mmCIF file with all atom_site columns, all heavy atoms in Angstrom:
data_model
loop_
_atom_site.group_PDB
_atom_site.id
_atom_site.type_symbol
_atom_site.label_atom_id
_atom_site.label_alt_id
_atom_site.label_comp_id
_atom_site.label_asym_id
_atom_site.label_entity_id
_atom_site.label_seq_id
_atom_site.pdbx_PDB_ins_code
_atom_site.Cartn_x
_atom_site.Cartn_y
_atom_site.Cartn_z
_atom_site.occupancy
_atom_site.B_iso_or_equiv
_atom_site.pdbx_formal_charge
_atom_site.auth_seq_id
_atom_site.auth_comp_id
_atom_site.auth_asym_id
_atom_site.auth_atom_id
_atom_site.pdbx_PDB_model_num
ATOM 1   N N   . SER A 1 344 ? 36.801 113.358 8.246  1.00 0.00 ? 399 SER A N   1
ATOM 2   C CA  . SER A 1 344 ? 35.582 112.566 8.339  1.00 0.00 ? 399 SER A CA  1
ATOM 3   C C   . SER A 1 344 ? 35.912 111.080 8.339  1.00 0.00 ? 399 SER A C   1
ATOM 4   O O   . SER A 1 344 ? 37.044 110.664 8.060  1.00 0.00 ? 399 SER A O   1
ATOM 5   C CB  . SER A 1 344 ? 34.645 112.895 7.179  1.00 0.00 ? 399 SER A CB  1
ATOM 6   O OG  . SER A 1 344 ? 35.251 112.540 5.952  1.00 0.00 ? 399 SER A OG  1
ATOM 7   N N   . GLU A 1 345 ? 34.890 110.278 8.607  1.00 0.00 ? 400 GLU A N   1
ATOM 8   C CA  . GLU A 1 345 ? 35.107 108.837 8.730  1.00 0.00 ? 400 GLU A CA  1
ATOM 9   C C   . GLU A 1 345 ? 35.570 108.205 7.431  1.00 0.00 ? 400 GLU A C   1
ATOM 10  O O   . GLU A 1 345 ? 36.137 107.122 7.443  1.00 0.00 ? 400 GLU A O   1
ATOM 11  C CB  . GLU A 1 345 ? 33.829 108.151 9.227  1.00 0.00 ? 400 GLU A CB  1
ATOM 12  C CG  . GLU A 1 345 ? 32.541 108.557 8.525  1.00 0.00 ? 400 GLU A CG  1
ATOM 13  C CD  . GLU A 1 345 ? 32.353 107.892 7.184  1.00 0.00 ? 400 GLU A CD  1
ATOM 14  O OE1 . GLU A 1 345 ? 32.939 106.815 6.979  1.00 0.00 ? 400 GLU A OE1 1
ATOM 15  O OE2 . GLU A 1 345 ? 31.636 108.449 6.340  1.00 0.00 ? 400 GLU A OE2 1
ATOM 16  N N   . ALA A 1 346 ? 35.369 108.895 6.286  1.00 0.00 ? 401 ALA A N   1
ATOM 17  C CA  . ALA A 1 346 ? 35.712 108.295 5.010  1.00 0.00 ? 401 ALA A CA  1
ATOM 18  C C   . ALA A 1 346 ? 37.206 108.028 4.874  1.00 0.00 ? 401 ALA A C   1
ATOM 19  O O   . ALA A 1 346 ? 37.614 107.115 4.160  1.00 0.00 ? 401 ALA A O   1
ATOM 20  C CB  . ALA A 1 346 ? 35.234 109.186 3.864  1.00 0.00 ? 401 ALA A CB  1
ATOM 21  N N   . TRP A 1 347 ? 38.035 108.833 5.533  1.00 0.00 ? 402 TRP A N   1
ATOM 22  C CA  . TRP A 1 347 ? 39.484 108.566 5.404  1.00 0.00 ? 402 TRP A CA  1
ATOM 23  C C   . TRP A 1 347 ? 40.238 108.701 6.722  1.00 0.00 ? 402 TRP A C   1
ATOM 24  O O   . TRP A 1 347 ? 41.426 108.946 6.759  1.00 0.00 ? 402 TRP A O   1
ATOM 25  C CB  . TRP A 1 347 ? 40.097 109.457 4.329  1.00 0.00 ? 402 TRP A CB  1
ATOM 26  C CG  . TRP A 1 347 ? 40.044 110.931 4.563  1.00 0.00 ? 402 TRP A CG  1
ATOM 27  C CD1 . TRP A 1 347 ? 38.981 111.751 4.457  1.00 0.00 ? 402 TRP A CD1 1
ATOM 28  C CD2 . TRP A 1 347 ? 41.155 111.779 4.903  1.00 0.00 ? 402 TRP A CD2 1
ATOM 29  N NE1 . TRP A 1 347 ? 39.332 113.048 4.727  1.00 0.00 ? 402 TRP A NE1 1
ATOM 30  C CE2 . TRP A 1 347 ? 40.659 113.111 4.992  1.00 0.00 ? 402 TRP A CE2 1
ATOM 31  C CE3 . TRP A 1 347 ? 42.513 111.560 5.133  1.00 0.00 ? 402 TRP A CE3 1
ATOM 32  C CZ2 . TRP A 1 347 ? 41.468 114.188 5.303  1.00 0.00 ? 402 TRP A CZ2 1
ATOM 33  C CZ3 . TRP A 1 347 ? 43.323 112.635 5.442  1.00 0.00 ? 402 TRP A CZ3 1
ATOM 34  C CH2 . TRP A 1 347 ? 42.809 113.940 5.537  1.00 0.00 ? 402 TRP A CH2 1
ATOM 35  N N   . THR A 1 348 ? 39.504 108.515 7.832  1.00 0.00 ? 403 THR A N   1
ATOM 36  C CA  . THR A 1 348 ? 40.180 108.527 9.133  1.00 0.00 ? 403 THR A CA  1
ATOM 37  C C   . THR A 1 348 ? 41.236 107.433 9.231  1.00 0.00 ? 403 THR A C   1
ATOM 38  O O   . THR A 1 348 ? 42.302 107.612 9.830  1.00 0.00 ? 403 THR A O   1
ATOM 39  C CB  . THR A 1 348 ? 39.133 108.357 10.256 1.00 0.00 ? 403 THR A CB  1
ATOM 40  O OG1 . THR A 1 348 ? 38.322 109.527 10.300 1.00 0.00 ? 403 THR A OG1 1
ATOM 41  C CG2 . THR A 1 348 ? 39.796 108.168 11.597 1.00 0.00 ? 403 THR A CG2 1
ATOM 42  N N   . SER A 1 349 ? 40.957 106.300 8.643  1.00 0.00 ? 404 SER A N   1
ATOM 43  C CA  . SER A 1 349 ? 41.898 105.170 8.726  1.00 0.00 ? 404 SER A CA  1
ATOM 44  C C   . SER A 1 349 ? 42.566 104.896 7.391  1.00 0.00 ? 404 SER A C   1
ATOM 45  O O   . SER A 1 349 ? 42.940 103.755 7.101  1.00 0.00 ? 404 SER A O   1
ATOM 46  C CB  . SER A 1 349 ? 41.153 103.916 9.195  1.00 0.00 ? 404 SER A CB  1
ATOM 47  O OG  . SER A 1 349 ? 40.048 103.641 8.344  1.00 0.00 ? 404 SER A OG  1
ATOM 48  N N   . ALA A 1 350 ? 42.724 105.944 6.547  1.00 0.00 ? 405 ALA A N   1
ATOM 49  C CA  . ALA A 1 350 ? 43.334 105.749 5.228  1.00 0.00 ? 405 ALA A CA  1
ATOM 50  C C   . ALA A 1 350 ? 44.826 105.489 5.368  1.00 0.00 ? 405 ALA A C   1
ATOM 51  O O   . ALA A 1 350 ? 45.607 106.383 5.691  1.00 0.00 ? 405 ALA A O   1
ATOM 52  C CB  . ALA A 1 350 ? 43.074 106.976 4.367  1.00 0.00 ? 405 ALA A CB  1
ATOM 53  N N   . ASP A 1 351 ? 45.242 104.255 5.111  1.00 0.00 ? 406 ASP A N   1
ATOM 54  C CA  . ASP A 1 351 ? 46.649 103.883 5.257  1.00 0.00 ? 406 ASP A CA  1
ATOM 55  C C   . ASP A 1 351 ? 47.545 104.630 4.283  1.00 0.00 ? 406 ASP A C   1
ATOM 56  O O   . ASP A 1 351 ? 48.727 104.869 4.556  1.00 0.00 ? 406 ASP A O   1
ATOM 57  C CB  . ASP A 1 351 ? 46.819 102.372 5.045  1.00 0.00 ? 406 ASP A CB  1
ATOM 58  C CG  . ASP A 1 351 ? 46.108 101.562 6.118  1.00 0.00 ? 406 ASP A CG  1
ATOM 59  O OD1 . ASP A 1 351 ? 45.914 102.122 7.216  1.00 0.00 ? 406 ASP A OD1 1
ATOM 60  O OD2 . ASP A 1 351 ? 45.739 100.400 5.860  1.00 0.00 ? 406 ASP A OD2 1
ATOM 61  N N   . VAL A 1 352 ? 46.988 105.009 3.130  1.00 0.00 ? 407 VAL A N   1
ATOM 62  C CA  . VAL A 1 352 ? 47.812 105.631 2.101  1.00 0.00 ? 407 VAL A CA  1
ATOM 63  C C   . VAL A 1 352 ? 48.393 106.962 2.568  1.00 0.00 ? 407 VAL A C   1
ATOM 64  O O   . VAL A 1 352 ? 49.420 107.419 2.040  1.00 0.00 ? 407 VAL A O   1
ATOM 65  C CB  . VAL A 1 352 ? 46.971 105.816 0.812  1.00 0.00 ? 407 VAL A CB  1
ATOM 66  C CG1 . VAL A 1 352 ? 45.875 106.857 1.036  1.00 0.00 ? 407 VAL A CG1 1
ATOM 67  C CG2 . VAL A 1 352 ? 47.852 106.227 -0.362 1.00 0.00 ? 407 VAL A CG2 1
ATOM 68  N N   . LEU A 1 353 ? 47.779 107.582 3.568  1.00 0.00 ? 408 LEU A N   1
ATOM 69  C CA  . LEU A 1 353 ? 48.258 108.872 4.071  1.00 0.00 ? 408 LEU A CA  1
ATOM 70  C C   . LEU A 1 353 ? 49.102 108.739 5.329  1.00 0.00 ? 408 LEU A C   1
ATOM 71  O O   . LEU A 1 353 ? 49.747 109.704 5.741  1.00 0.00 ? 408 LEU A O   1
ATOM 72  C CB  . LEU A 1 353 ? 47.079 109.799 4.344  1.00 0.00 ? 408 LEU A CB  1
ATOM 73  C CG  . LEU A 1 353 ? 46.269 110.240 3.124  1.00 0.00 ? 408 LEU A CG  1
ATOM 74  C CD1 . LEU A 1 353 ? 45.040 111.028 3.559  1.00 0.00 ? 408 LEU A CD1 1
ATOM 75  C CD2 . LEU A 1 353 ? 47.109 111.065 2.167  1.00 0.00 ? 408 LEU A CD2 1
ATOM 76  N N   . GLN A 1 354 ? 49.075 107.580 5.939  1.00 0.00 ? 409 GLN A N   1
ATOM 77  C CA  . GLN A 1 354 ? 49.802 107.383 7.201  1.00 0.00 ? 409 GLN A CA  1
ATOM 78  C C   . GLN A 1 354 ? 51.212 106.878 6.898  1.00 0.00 ? 409 GLN A C   1
ATOM 79  O O   . GLN A 1 354 ? 51.604 105.769 7.251  1.00 0.00 ? 409 GLN A O   1
ATOM 80  C CB  . GLN A 1 354 ? 49.039 106.422 8.094  1.00 0.00 ? 409 GLN A CB  1
ATOM 81  C CG  . GLN A 1 354 ? 47.675 106.963 8.508  1.00 0.00 ? 409 GLN A CG  1
ATOM 82  C CD  . GLN A 1 354 ? 46.776 105.917 9.112  1.00 0.00 ? 409 GLN A CD  1
ATOM 83  O OE1 . GLN A 1 354 ? 47.253 104.880 9.564  1.00 0.00 ? 409 GLN A OE1 1
ATOM 84  N NE2 . GLN A 1 354 ? 45.469 106.156 9.110  1.00 0.00 ? 409 GLN A NE2 1
ATOM 85  N N   . THR A 1 355 ? 51.970 107.737 6.234  1.00 0.00 ? 410 THR A N   1
ATOM 86  C CA  . THR A 1 355 ? 53.331 107.394 5.817  1.00 0.00 ? 410 THR A CA  1
ATOM 87  C C   . THR A 1 355 ? 54.297 108.444 6.337  1.00 0.00 ? 410 THR A C   1
ATOM 88  O O   . THR A 1 355 ? 53.900 109.573 6.659  1.00 0.00 ? 410 THR A O   1
ATOM 89  C CB  . THR A 1 355 ? 53.417 107.342 4.286  1.00 0.00 ? 410 THR A CB  1
ATOM 90  O OG1 . THR A 1 355 ? 53.156 108.666 3.772  1.00 0.00 ? 410 THR A OG1 1
ATOM 91  C CG2 . THR A 1 355 ? 52.383 106.368 3.707  1.00 0.00 ? 410 THR A CG2 1
ATOM 92  N N   . PRO A 1 356 ? 55.588 108.108 6.442  1.00 0.00 ? 411 PRO A N   1
ATOM 93  C CA  . PRO A 1 356 ? 56.574 109.105 6.899  1.00 0.00 ? 411 PRO A CA  1
ATOM 94  C C   . PRO A 1 356 ? 56.599 110.358 6.026  1.00 0.00 ? 411 PRO A C   1
ATOM 95  O O   . PRO A 1 356 ? 57.000 111.423 6.481  1.00 0.00 ? 411 PRO A O   1
ATOM 96  C CB  . PRO A 1 356 ? 57.895 108.331 6.818  1.00 0.00 ? 411 PRO A CB  1
ATOM 97  C CG  . PRO A 1 356 ? 57.506 106.899 6.945  1.00 0.00 ? 411 PRO A CG  1
ATOM 98  C CD  . PRO A 1 356 ? 56.176 106.775 6.259  1.00 0.00 ? 411 PRO A CD  1
ATOM 99  N N   . HIS A 1 357 ? 56.156 110.241 4.777  1.00 0.00 ? 412 HIS A N   1
ATOM 100 C CA  . HIS A 1 357 ? 56.155 111.386 3.882  1.00 0.00 ? 412 HIS A CA  1
ATOM 101 C C   . HIS A 1 357 ? 55.094 112.409 4.287  1.00 0.00 ? 412 HIS A C   1
ATOM 102 O O   . HIS A 1 357 ? 55.313 113.632 4.178  1.00 0.00 ? 412 HIS A O   1
ATOM 103 C CB  . HIS A 1 357 ? 55.901 110.888 2.449  1.00 0.00 ? 412 HIS A CB  1
ATOM 104 C CG  . HIS A 1 357 ? 55.923 111.989 1.423  1.00 0.00 ? 412 HIS A CG  1
ATOM 105 N ND1 . HIS A 1 357 ? 57.056 112.761 1.176  1.00 0.00 ? 412 HIS A ND1 1
ATOM 106 C CD2 . HIS A 1 357 ? 54.957 112.457 0.589  1.00 0.00 ? 412 HIS A CD2 1
ATOM 107 C CE1 . HIS A 1 357 ? 56.779 113.650 0.231  1.00 0.00 ? 412 HIS A CE1 1
ATOM 108 N NE2 . HIS A 1 357 ? 55.516 113.482 -0.146 1.00 0.00 ? 412 HIS A NE2 1
ATOM 109 N N   . PHE A 1 358 ? 53.952 111.934 4.763  1.00 0.00 ? 413 PHE A N   1
ATOM 110 C CA  . PHE A 1 358 ? 52.836 112.821 5.104  1.00 0.00 ? 413 PHE A CA  1
ATOM 111 C C   . PHE A 1 358 ? 52.730 113.147 6.593  1.00 0.00 ? 413 PHE A C   1
ATOM 112 O O   . PHE A 1 358 ? 52.135 114.165 6.963  1.00 0.00 ? 413 PHE A O   1
ATOM 113 C CB  . PHE A 1 358 ? 51.510 112.204 4.661  1.00 0.00 ? 413 PHE A CB  1
ATOM 114 C CG  . PHE A 1 358 ? 51.315 112.150 3.170  1.00 0.00 ? 413 PHE A CG  1
ATOM 115 C CD1 . PHE A 1 358 ? 51.064 110.945 2.531  1.00 0.00 ? 413 PHE A CD1 1
ATOM 116 C CD2 . PHE A 1 358 ? 51.402 113.293 2.405  1.00 0.00 ? 413 PHE A CD2 1
ATOM 117 C CE1 . PHE A 1 358 ? 50.885 110.889 1.153  1.00 0.00 ? 413 PHE A CE1 1
ATOM 118 C CE2 . PHE A 1 358 ? 51.219 113.253 1.034  1.00 0.00 ? 413 PHE A CE2 1
ATOM 119 C CZ  . PHE A 1 358 ? 50.966 112.042 0.406  1.00 0.00 ? 413 PHE A CZ  1
ATOM 120 N N   . MET A 1 359 ? 53.264 112.293 7.451  1.00 0.00 ? 414 MET A N   1
ATOM 121 C CA  . MET A 1 359 ? 53.016 112.462 8.885  1.00 0.00 ? 414 MET A CA  1
ATOM 122 C C   . MET A 1 359 ? 53.552 113.761 9.487  1.00 0.00 ? 414 MET A C   1
ATOM 123 O O   . MET A 1 359 ? 52.957 114.279 10.428 1.00 0.00 ? 414 MET A O   1
ATOM 124 C CB  . MET A 1 359 ? 53.574 111.266 9.660  1.00 0.00 ? 414 MET A CB  1
ATOM 125 C CG  . MET A 1 359 ? 52.729 110.010 9.523  1.00 0.00 ? 414 MET A CG  1
ATOM 126 S SD  . MET A 1 359 ? 50.975 110.286 9.857  1.00 0.00 ? 414 MET A SD  1
ATOM 127 C CE  . MET A 1 359 ? 51.001 110.583 11.614 1.00 0.00 ? 414 MET A CE  1
ATOM 128 N N   . PRO A 1 360 ? 54.664 114.359 8.962  1.00 0.00 ? 415 PRO A N   1
ATOM 129 C CA  . PRO A 1 360 ? 55.040 115.674 9.511  1.00 0.00 ? 415 PRO A CA  1
ATOM 130 C C   . PRO A 1 360 ? 53.940 116.729 9.334  1.00 0.00 ? 415 PRO A C   1
ATOM 131 O O   . PRO A 1 360 ? 53.928 117.734 10.043 1.00 0.00 ? 415 PRO A O   1
ATOM 132 C CB  . PRO A 1 360 ? 56.295 116.040 8.707  1.00 0.00 ? 415 PRO A CB  1
ATOM 133 C CG  . PRO A 1 360 ? 56.871 114.728 8.291  1.00 0.00 ? 415 PRO A CG  1
ATOM 134 C CD  . PRO A 1 360 ? 55.681 113.844 8.032  1.00 0.00 ? 415 PRO A CD  1
ATOM 135 N N   . TYR A 1 361 ? 53.035 116.500 8.422  1.00 0.00 ? 416 TYR A N   1
ATOM 136 C CA  . TYR A 1 361 ? 51.967 117.448 8.148  1.00 0.00 ? 416 TYR A CA  1
ATOM 137 C C   . TYR A 1 361 ? 50.623 116.982 8.715  1.00 0.00 ? 416 TYR A C   1
ATOM 138 O O   . TYR A 1 361 ? 49.795 117.804 9.099  1.00 0.00 ? 416 TYR A O   1
ATOM 139 C CB  . TYR A 1 361 ? 51.838 117.663 6.635  1.00 0.00 ? 416 TYR A CB  1
ATOM 140 C CG  . TYR A 1 361 ? 53.124 118.107 5.997  1.00 0.00 ? 416 TYR A CG  1
ATOM 141 C CD1 . TYR A 1 361 ? 54.054 117.176 5.545  1.00 0.00 ? 416 TYR A CD1 1
ATOM 142 C CD2 . TYR A 1 361 ? 53.421 119.462 5.885  1.00 0.00 ? 416 TYR A CD2 1
ATOM 143 C CE1 . TYR A 1 361 ? 55.253 117.590 4.977  1.00 0.00 ? 416 TYR A CE1 1
ATOM 144 C CE2 . TYR A 1 361 ? 54.629 119.880 5.321  1.00 0.00 ? 416 TYR A CE2 1
ATOM 145 C CZ  . TYR A 1 361 ? 55.537 118.935 4.870  1.00 0.00 ? 416 TYR A CZ  1
ATOM 146 O OH  . TYR A 1 361 ? 56.727 119.351 4.324  1.00 0.00 ? 416 TYR A OH  1
ATOM 147 N N   . LEU A 1 362 ? 50.419 115.674 8.757  1.00 0.00 ? 417 LEU A N   1
ATOM 148 C CA  . LEU A 1 362 ? 49.138 115.123 9.193  1.00 0.00 ? 417 LEU A CA  1
ATOM 149 C C   . LEU A 1 362 ? 49.179 114.533 10.601 1.00 0.00 ? 417 LEU A C   1
ATOM 150 O O   . LEU A 1 362 ? 48.153 114.064 11.101 1.00 0.00 ? 417 LEU A O   1
ATOM 151 C CB  . LEU A 1 362 ? 48.663 114.044 8.209  1.00 0.00 ? 417 LEU A CB  1
ATOM 152 C CG  . LEU A 1 362 ? 48.214 114.551 6.837  1.00 0.00 ? 417 LEU A CG  1
ATOM 153 C CD1 . LEU A 1 362 ? 47.877 113.388 5.930  1.00 0.00 ? 417 LEU A CD1 1
ATOM 154 C CD2 . LEU A 1 362 ? 47.016 115.468 6.972  1.00 0.00 ? 417 LEU A CD2 1
ATOM 155 N N   . GLY A 1 363 ? 50.351 114.505 11.213 1.00 0.00 ? 418 GLY A N   1
ATOM 156 C CA  . GLY A 1 363 ? 50.435 114.007 12.581 1.00 0.00 ? 418 GLY A CA  1
ATOM 157 C C   . GLY A 1 363 ? 49.549 114.817 13.509 1.00 0.00 ? 418 GLY A C   1
ATOM 158 O O   . GLY A 1 363 ? 49.446 116.035 13.386 1.00 0.00 ? 418 GLY A O   1
ATOM 159 N N   . GLY A 1 364 ? 48.884 114.143 14.446 1.00 0.00 ? 419 GLY A N   1
ATOM 160 C CA  . GLY A 1 364 ? 47.977 114.814 15.362 1.00 0.00 ? 419 GLY A CA  1
ATOM 161 C C   . GLY A 1 364 ? 46.567 114.973 14.831 1.00 0.00 ? 419 GLY A C   1
ATOM 162 O O   . GLY A 1 364 ? 45.709 115.536 15.522 1.00 0.00 ? 419 GLY A O   1
ATOM 163 N N   . THR A 1 365 ? 46.320 114.489 13.613 1.00 0.00 ? 420 THR A N   1
ATOM 164 C CA  . THR A 1 365 ? 44.980 114.605 13.025 1.00 0.00 ? 420 THR A CA  1
ATOM 165 C C   . THR A 1 365 ? 43.940 113.954 13.925 1.00 0.00 ? 420 THR A C   1
ATOM 166 O O   . THR A 1 365 ? 44.153 112.879 14.478 1.00 0.00 ? 420 THR A O   1
ATOM 167 C CB  . THR A 1 365 ? 44.962 113.932 11.640 1.00 0.00 ? 420 THR A CB  1
ATOM 168 O OG1 . THR A 1 365 ? 45.811 114.665 10.755 1.00 0.00 ? 420 THR A OG1 1
ATOM 169 C CG2 . THR A 1 365 ? 43.556 113.887 11.079 1.00 0.00 ? 420 THR A CG2 1
ATOM 170 N N   . LEU A 1 366 ? 42.815 114.641 14.070 1.00 0.00 ? 421 LEU A N   1
ATOM 171 C CA  . LEU A 1 366 ? 41.664 114.079 14.776 1.00 0.00 ? 421 LEU A CA  1
ATOM 172 C C   . LEU A 1 366 ? 40.634 113.653 13.747 1.00 0.00 ? 421 LEU A C   1
ATOM 173 O O   . LEU A 1 366 ? 40.313 114.423 12.835 1.00 0.00 ? 421 LEU A O   1
ATOM 174 C CB  . LEU A 1 366 ? 41.041 115.099 15.731 1.00 0.00 ? 421 LEU A CB  1
ATOM 175 C CG  . LEU A 1 366 ? 41.882 115.484 16.954 1.00 0.00 ? 421 LEU A CG  1
ATOM 176 C CD1 . LEU A 1 366 ? 41.223 116.624 17.715 1.00 0.00 ? 421 LEU A CD1 1
ATOM 177 C CD2 . LEU A 1 366 ? 42.078 114.288 17.877 1.00 0.00 ? 421 LEU A CD2 1
ATOM 178 N N   . GLY A 1 367 ? 40.148 112.430 13.883 1.00 0.00 ? 422 GLY A N   1
ATOM 179 C CA  . GLY A 1 367 ? 39.220 111.905 12.897 1.00 0.00 ? 422 GLY A CA  1
ATOM 180 C C   . GLY A 1 367 ? 38.001 111.272 13.531 1.00 0.00 ? 422 GLY A C   1
ATOM 181 O O   . GLY A 1 367 ? 38.039 110.768 14.657 1.00 0.00 ? 422 GLY A O   1
ATOM 182 N N   . ILE A 1 368 ? 36.917 111.331 12.777 1.00 0.00 ? 423 ILE A N   1
ATOM 183 C CA  . ILE A 1 368 ? 35.690 110.635 13.164 1.00 0.00 ? 423 ILE A CA  1
ATOM 184 C C   . ILE A 1 368 ? 35.749 109.238 12.560 1.00 0.00 ? 423 ILE A C   1
ATOM 185 O O   . ILE A 1 368 ? 36.044 109.082 11.372 1.00 0.00 ? 423 ILE A O   1
ATOM 186 C CB  . ILE A 1 368 ? 34.452 111.381 12.649 1.00 0.00 ? 423 ILE A CB  1
ATOM 187 C CG1 . ILE A 1 368 ? 34.472 112.836 13.119 1.00 0.00 ? 423 ILE A CG1 1
ATOM 188 C CG2 . ILE A 1 368 ? 33.189 110.684 13.098 1.00 0.00 ? 423 ILE A CG2 1
ATOM 189 C CD1 . ILE A 1 368 ? 34.367 113.016 14.602 1.00 0.00 ? 423 ILE A CD1 1
#
Side-chain angles (χ1 to χ4, degrees):
S399 63
E400 47 79 24
W402 63 285
T403 292
S404 55
D406 295 335
V407 68
L408 294 174
Q409 297 166 20
T410 64
H412 182 62
F413 291 123
M414 285 310 290
Y416 304 88
L417 290 176
T420 294
L421 291 173
I423 305 295

